[in-house]
Amino acid sequence: MKHKLNRFQLAFFRWRRRQSNNRIMPFVLSVVVGLIVGVAAILIKTIIFYIEQYAVYFAPNILYFLLPLIGFVLVTFLNRNVFSKTAYFSGARHVIESIEKDTSIIRFRLIYSKFVTTGLTIGFGGSSGVEAAIITSGAAVGSNVGRVLRLNYRLRTLLIGCGVAAGISAVYNAPMGGFIFALETILPEFTPTLLIPLLVAAAAGKILFEFFMGQHLRFEVPLTDFAYEQIPLVILLGVLGMLMSNYLLKTYSYCSLYFSRIKNAYLRAIVGGVALGSIIYLLPPMYGEGYVSMNALLNSEERSLIVNSPLAALPTTIWSNLLFFFLITMVKPLATGICVNSGGEGGYFAPSIITGGFLGYLFYKIVALLFPFYGLNMATFMFLGMASVFACIMNAPVTAIFLVAEITQSYQLFVPLMLVCAVSYFLKYYIENLSSSVEQPKGQGKALRVDRILLNQLNISQLIEEDNRPLLEDESLRVVVENFSNSNRDVLQVLDTQGMLVGVITLSDMRKQLGDVFNYDTVTAKDLMQPPIVTVEVDEPAAEVLDKFDKSKLWSLPVVRKGKFKGFISKSRLLTQYRKDLTRVNRFF
């Protein structure tokens, strides 16, 4: 039974046919996606604000350490009982997997489920970032707009990129950062046709968010002109940023391994909540995302970070201050690892920025102590630290440059930002790919993604070679021979009376029977056939179909829809169409 279209879909299809020549549809839909994601960004920031305000208001200072425990238990309950089918999905990594392996299909529930759980996590003090939720929500909006309008794989993927760009743009007040992040991380490569839809979506998300939430900057502080004699310090900070990013990743990995040993989800949430709460009790800057602490440092209010800590009772000296900032720099990754792996939700995007800011501040304090004649600007090195760590953690150096420049309004720092990101990311890349001989460098992962996405743009139903001469189970060998003589393939399908595929016959299977002319009318197709080694579903991604060809060593596979035979697909035809798409000027979208 065919699915009936509603009035909205029918009207859309008529409009799409009228607009097919000038191709304005992607640009119109990018605005729609950008606005919807802007609403999602408003909701998640509102949820975090009110939960954080009321949680802190009603909880006495002495009970602050219990707030993460409450948040983790609530999130664990929701993930196990309400959002169980989407609980595994977390940020950019799963968005990329959905594009590559699930033909850009993302569950509708992910539009709202992650910003509910992430809002609870961060609102109750979880030390993670909101970006994983907005990336997931934005990607789900783009995917489901494409599904509702029955768009093809290419346009669904484009709208996923638009959703991600709009989400980062809105939450971070960084339209160029969102645009470049979508290109550098989510989508396979840059093409001219991607430019306008992504920019329009990023602008739409940012404008709507700003209209309702007001103009906001993450960090706003006056900067002095950068002096080029400080370049050696920038290079050194880039090296430290790379080392810090390695420490972050190893800490996250250790936390994941440790908490995976606790099999009971609620016990895991309790252990993680108590651990994080204890850290927050000793080091209050670990509460929430950490932007409040960054702004306090930028406004020369460093004492406010320690005033509510038991450590405030210690004598205040230069060395005790350095020790405190060293502690919060090293403990922030641990707090994030505990939060994300024990029951909370969130991403590593914001924690890498905050950790980088702490690193830059600590670096500034040490250099200013040792070389007071330099006359350094504190904010400059905090911003450079943010960019260097973020570039390595997210594997996105260009995004790091533009994102930090936008959220700090430090456009005059473009040259040192470029330099610090180049140093930190090159060292990371060198250690991972060039310092030892490996058969397949990690840098090839991008090429593999491009290959799979290009393949998935192919429509299997359009590559099917239909066969109008079905071979039934009780057909004689004589009919089988006649069908082979009229076919250019070396395989025939055998169907039952309902059109269901029950087996295949290959030329190699019946060679011995060809000389036995006396049995041409007694041997049947059922005697000759064998079960198909592998079949292809008509809506299966082309990348998976090619994998089946490679594993089975066959050149022709039967295509079915829920077991009903539709035709054959040949490897040569699939590869021929792939090569045609590969040579197009605009290979994507």
Side-chain angles (χ1 to χ4, degrees), residues 359-375:
L359 174 67
Y361 186 80
L362 179 64
F363 180 78
Y364 158 80
K365 295 280 285 185
I366 293 173
V367 173
L369 180 64
L370 298 177
F371 308 103
F373 54 85
Y374 256 119

Side-chain angles (χ1 to χ4, degrees), residues 240-288:
L240 294 175
M242 181 275 297
L243 295 174
M244 178 55 68
S245 70
N246 283 346
Y247 168 71
L248 261 74
L249 293 174
K250 289 180 180 178
T251 303
Y252 298 156
S253 177
Y254 171 79
C255 290
S256 175
L257 179 64
Y258 175 80
F259 284 104
S260 66
R261 296 172 181 170
I262 305 175
K263 302 304 180 183
N264 185 283
Y266 289 103
L267 178 60
R268 188 163 57 243
I270 292 171
V271 172
V274 171
L276 181 58
S278 301
I279 290 173
I280 291 173
Y281 178 73
L282 291 173
L283 301 170
M286 298 300 103
Y287 190 98

Side-chain angles (χ1 to χ4, degrees), residues 287-585:
Y287 190 98
E289 291 178 283
Y291 293 115
V292 173
S293 299
M294 284 292 102
N295 278 308
L297 293 179
L298 289 169
N299 290 296
S300 302
E301 299 172 358
E302 67 174 41
R303 188 63 190 169
S304 65
L305 273 65
I306 195 174
V307 67
N308 292 319
S309 168
L311 301 177
L314 297 175
T316 303
T317 65
I318 293 175
W319 300 108
S320 65
N321 277 348
L322 288 177
L323 176 61
F324 177 78
F325 286 107
F326 175 78
L327 280 176
I328 62 174
T329 302
M330 302 303 289
V331 171
K332 178 64 177 179
L334 178 61
T336 301
I338 291 171
C339 174
V340 174
N341 292 289
S342 67
E345 293 273 6
Y348 301 127
F349 196 110
S352 65
I353 292 177
I354 301 303
T355 304
F358 285 143
L359 174 67
Y361 186 80
L362 179 64
F363 180 78
Y364 158 80
K365 295 280 285 185
I366 293 173
V367 173
L369 180 64
L370 298 177
F371 308 103
F373 54 85
Y374 256 119
L376 304 180
N377 181 271
M378 171 189 62
T380 295
F381 286 90
M382 289 181 66
F383 297 159
L384 295 179
M386 293 176 188
S388 66
V389 176
F390 178 90
C392 294
I393 293 295
M394 302 304 296
N395 287 310
V398 181
T399 300
I401 295 168
F402 281 90
L403 185 72
V404 171
E406 284 188 293
I407 65 177
T408 62
Q409 295 293 286
S410 55
Y411 298 105
Q412 65 267 46
L413 293 181
F414 257 112
V415 172
L417 283 170
M418 292 167 63
L419 182 59
V420 77
C421 289
V423 171
S424 60
Y425 192 72
F426 170 76
L427 290 174
K428 177 180 184 291
Y429 181 83
Y430 177 84
I431 291 173
E432 291 183 350
N433 297 290
L434 303 179
S435 60
S436 60
S437 59
V438 289
E439 293 183 3
Q440 184 176 358
K442 293 182 180 180
Q444 292 183 5
K446 188 79 169 180
L448 181 61
R449 284 186 56 211
V450 172
D451 181 71
R452 294 188 69 87
I453 293 175
L454 267 175
L455 275 168
N456 286 339
Q457 291 181 14
L458 304 181
N459 191 333
I460 294 299
S461 62
Q462 295 177 355
L463 300 175
I464 295 175
E465 301 170 1
E466 297 183 359
D467 195 331
N468 296 321
R469 297 182 298 280
L471 190 63
L472 301 179
E473 292 177 278
D474 58 356
E475 300 275 17
S476 66
L477 175 57
R478 188 180 303 278
V479 177
V480 175
V481 172
E482 289 176 0
N483 280 14
F484 266 119
S485 65
N486 294 322
S487 175
N488 58 1
R489 288 193 304 274
D490 61 354
V491 60
L492 293 177
Q493 78 282 6
V494 181
L495 311 180
D496 62 14
T497 55
Q498 304 299 319
M500 305 298 285
L501 181 68
V502 293
V504 294
I505 302 174
T506 64
L507 274 175
S508 59
D509 292 334
M510 57 173 292
R511 278 200 180 99
K512 294 180 181 179
Q513 304 289 339
L514 291 176
D516 192 1
V517 294
F518 299 105
N519 290 324
Y520 268 33
D521 295 313
T522 58
V523 176
T524 64
K526 187 174 183 179
D527 300 325
L528 298 170
M529 73 179 188
Q530 59 181 349
I533 298 174
V534 63
T535 60
V536 173
E537 286 289 335
V538 71
D539 56 355
E540 195 167 348
E544 294 182 12
V545 175
L546 187 59
D547 290 340
K548 288 184 175 181
F549 275 119
D550 293 338
K551 291 176 182 178
S552 65
K553 308 298 182 184
L554 298 175
W555 282 87
S556 188
L557 294 176
V559 182
V560 297
R561 185 191 293 275
K562 296 181 179 179
K564 191 168 185 178
F565 181 75
K566 292 298 179 182
F568 282 96
I569 183 171
S570 66
K571 186 175 182 179
S572 58
R573 188 171 184 181
L574 177 64
L575 292 176
T576 299
Q577 188 60 45
Y578 170 71
R579 292 189 188 99
K580 287 181 181 179
D581 277 20
L582 193 64
T583 55
R584 286 192 298 114
V585 175

